[in-house]
Amino acid sequence: MRDHAALLIDRFAVPDGARVLDLGCGWGELLLRAVEAGGATTTGTGVDTDGPSVDRGRALATERALGTRVAFTRQEAASWSEPADRVMCVGAAQGFGGTLDALDALGGLVRPGGRLLFGEAFWERPTTIEATALLGEEITPLPELVERVRARGWRVLHLSTADQSEWDDFESTGLAGRQEWLLRHPDDARAEAVRAELDVRLREYVCVYRGLLGMAYLVLGR
C-alpha cells in the first residue's frame, strides 16, 4: 500500500504552490502525502462527512507540521464548489450520485491544466446476485469503467489497481474512525447502533465481495 501510494503521488505530479483538494478524504493520508510532495507553498483541503476521521486528519496534519497548510472540513463532498489544481476523489463517487455524475462534477472542480486522481470500484470477475444487490448495478468491469472515463472527456494519464492487501486496508481504514470512537465510548447511547453497523459492514466485506470487487486508481487530465 505504501509503495502504491508513493507511485500514485508521483504520477499525480503536484507542483509547488498548487492547491490540492481531496473529496471524501477519510483521515487524509493521500492528501497529506500530496501536499508534502508538492513543496513548501502547496496547500490542501480535505472534505468528508465522518467526524472522527476529520478529527484524526487534523491531528495528523499537526503532527506532520502541516497544520497551517492543510485544512479539513466536515461536509458533503458534492456540496464543495471551490476549484483546485489537483483534485482527489477515491472511493467517494457515490457521494455525487455515481461514477458518471462524479466525473462530470469533478470536471468543474479541476482547474485548467490540473489533474484528477479518481479511485473507483470495478468487478474483478463476474459478479454475484448478492454482491450486485448489496453494491448496486452501476459497478462495471474495468474495461467499461475506462470507457466511461474516456467518454466523459478525460484522458487516462496513469492506471493502476489495488491488490488484496490494499483492499483490506482500504476497507479497514474506511471504518477506523468509528471503530476508534466506539472503543473510546462503549457506554455512549449511540454505541449499540454504531457497533451493529460496523459488524454488518465487516461481514458484508468478508462474506460477499472480498476478492470480487476491485479498485482502480486513475490519474486523469483534460
Side-chain angles (χ1 to χ4, degrees):
M1 179 63 181
R2 292 183 181 277
D3 289 344
H4 196 173
L7 172 67
L8 292 173
I9 295 301
D10 179 69
R11 299 298 185 266
F12 204 35
V14 181
D16 193 9
R19 177 170 182 178
V20 183
L21 171 65
D22 191 349
L23 297 169
C25 64
W27 66 56
E29 179 62 31
L30 273 179
L31 172 64
L32 295 173
R33 287 178 179 232
V35 171
E36 285 176 323
T41 61
T42 300
T43 59
T45 302
V47 180
D48 204 285
T49 58
D50 185 57
S53 292
V54 168
D55 291 342
R56 182 172 180 179
R58 290 172 179 149
L60 287 173
T62 300
E63 288 176 11
R64 299 186 191 182
L66 294 172
T68 61
R69 293 168 52 197
V70 180
F72 287 85
T73 182
R74 187 178 180 185
Q75 70 179 74
E76 297 285 345
S79 69
W80 190 266
S81 60
E82 190 173 349
D85 305 290
R86 294 291 186 273
V87 177
M88 301 177 171
C89 181
V90 177
Q94 70 276 6
F96 295 87
T99 304
L100 297 179
D101 289 337
L103 289 167
D104 289 342
L106 294 165
L109 294 175
V110 180
R111 289 173 178 163
R115 296 289 181 267
L116 168 65
L117 174 55
F118 188 65
E120 183 64 306
F122 67 95
W123 296 126
E124 291 269 15
R125 51 186 173 82
T127 186
T128 65
I129 293 174
E130 189 177 10
T132 300
L134 176 65
L135 300 173
E137 298 184 356
E138 187 184 54
I139 299 172
T140 68
L142 183 59
E144 187 172 340
L145 172 60
V146 171
E147 287 306 308
R148 285 182 166 193
V149 168
R150 293 178 62 250
R152 268 351 198 224
W154 295 96
R155 301 300 302 172
V156 179
L157 305 178
H158 170 80
L159 165 65
S160 55
T161 61
D163 61 24
Q164 191 59 64
S165 64
E166 290 177 67
W167 245 125
D168 291 342
D169 184 66
F170 176 81
E171 286 288 337
S172 299
T173 298
L175 304 179
R178 279 168 288 173
Q179 295 280 22
E180 292 182 357
W181 177 89
L182 186 62
L183 292 175
R184 294 194 303 270
H185 305 90
D187 299 320
D188 190 282
R190 298 163 291 176
E192 183 176 354
V194 172
R195 185 180 297 108
E197 179 191 357
L198 292 171
D199 289 347
V200 168
R201 289 282 302 274
L202 180 59
R203 290 191 193 101
E204 288 173 344
Y205 175 56
V206 173
C207 299
V208 179
Y209 63 92
R210 185 179 185 273
L212 174 60
L213 194 65
M215 174 65 73
Y217 298 94
L218 303 100
V219 177
L220 306 175
R222 276 179 155 172

